[in-house]
Amino acid sequence: MTDQKTGHDLKLLISSDSIQSKVEEIGKRISADYRGKIPILICTLKGAFVFLSDLIRSIDIQTEIDFIWVSSYKSLTEPESTELISKNRTDLKDRHVILIEDIIDTGITAKFIQSIILSENPKSLKVCSLLDKRERRKMHIKIDYTGFVIEKGFVVGYGMDYGERGRELRHIYILNK
Ligand code: IMP
Ligand code: MG
């Protein structure tokens, strides 16, 4: 279908209902794993903000949130370099940190962010990513909480963009270029 708003040819990949039940499932696991603790969820901007907002509401223990803003896509679909735009404000020393990612593709961005977080000496660091495009991985990343493993191809919706468009879409689509 051609999306009226974005003007792009989009094919449904993951429906909003499937996303919601997966987010609930991850929320339950995080709640169980961190019971008695107050983890801080560090969200990668911009793509992971929709996932973060649903995820914190499916976790039934106390959490804190903060954001790291990095830019990894200089061209529309291929990574060129990773640039830190703004860093978390909360001190992560001795904190239980969970990095919240929308999608781990080559792994370059997640590795970069992990090194920033680790330099603050957190008590623990786990990685949670809604999507895992593992076929394209260039750096080894251990993902502790994975939503869906997907094949290569460019996705849009649920916070993820194509040239800054389509973040507001409820479902996740594959873009036919
Ligand atoms: P990586 O450094 O190659 O792992 O890329 C990670 C970042 O690139 C993600 O956090 C996304 O913001 C973006 N990205 C990677 N693949 C896609 C995609 O298919 N759609 C939208 N954004 C993507
Ligand atoms: Mg992006």
Side-chain angles (χ1 to χ4, degrees):
M1 66 148 190
T2 302
D3 182 63
Q4 294 305 314
K5 273 163 108 184
T6 60
H8 293 302
D9 188 18
L10 304 177
K11 193 172 126 228
L12 182 68
L13 182 68
I14 309 169
S15 71
S16 167
D17 283 350
S18 316
I19 299 168
Q20 293 312 319
S21 48
K22 186 63 79 175
V23 172
E24 286 295 323
E25 190 187 307
I26 297 174
K28 283 203 180 90
R29 285 180 56 202
I30 291 178
S31 307
D33 292 351
Y34 289 86
R35 196 149 313 274
K37 304 181 178 110
I38 304 176
I40 176 156
L41 278 55
I42 300 286
C43 170
T44 310
L45 291 174
K46 299 176 192 173
F49 83 104
V50 177
F51 177 39
L52 175 82
S53 68
D54 282 339
L55 185 63
I56 52 169
R57 288 175 290 174
S58 67
I59 295 175
D60 68 8
I61 56 167
Q62 289 187 69
T63 56
E64 289 177 24
I65 61 165
D66 206 332
F67 299 88
I68 285 186
W69 189 359
V70 293
S71 175
S72 45
Y73 274 63
K74 294 289 162 48
S75 75
L76 288 177
T77 55
E78 285 303 314
E80 281 171 16
S81 64
T82 307
E83 182 196 354
L84 178 62
I85 299 173
S86 86
K87 220 179 132 313
N88 51 291
R89 300 294 296 272
T90 317
D91 183 4
L92 302 180
K93 188 170 166 28
D94 292 332
R95 298 296 309 267
H96 292 288
V97 179
I98 310 174
L99 173 61
I100 308 298
E101 277 278 7
D102 49 352
I103 177 164
I104 297 186
D105 184 17
T106 62
I108 293 169
T109 309
K111 261 281 182 272
F112 177 72
I113 296 173
Q114 275 183 324
S115 70
I116 295 170
I117 294 174
L118 289 171
S119 72
E120 292 193 34
N121 298 313
K123 189 166 264 173
S124 68
L125 173 59
K126 283 192 182 178
V127 178
C128 171
S129 185
L130 180 66
L131 302 180
D132 177 2
K133 228 192 264 177
R134 63 178 59 150
E135 258 185 86
R136 291 197 12 118
R137 201 78 89 249
K138 288 188 183 146
M139 318 277 270
H140 173 75
I141 298 281
K142 177 173 178 279
I143 308 179
D144 302 280
Y145 305 98
T146 307
F148 304 90
V149 175
I150 62 167
E151 311 213 321
K152 51 187 175 216
F154 201 80
V155 297
V156 61
Y158 197 69
M160 290 166 283
D161 71 306
Y162 173 69
E164 290 304 325
R165 301 295 164 83
R167 295 191 195 274
E168 73 285 3
L169 299 169
R170 288 172 188 276
H171 311 286
I172 294 174
Y173 299 86
I174 285 272
L175 182 77
N176 290 316
K177 279 174 281 170

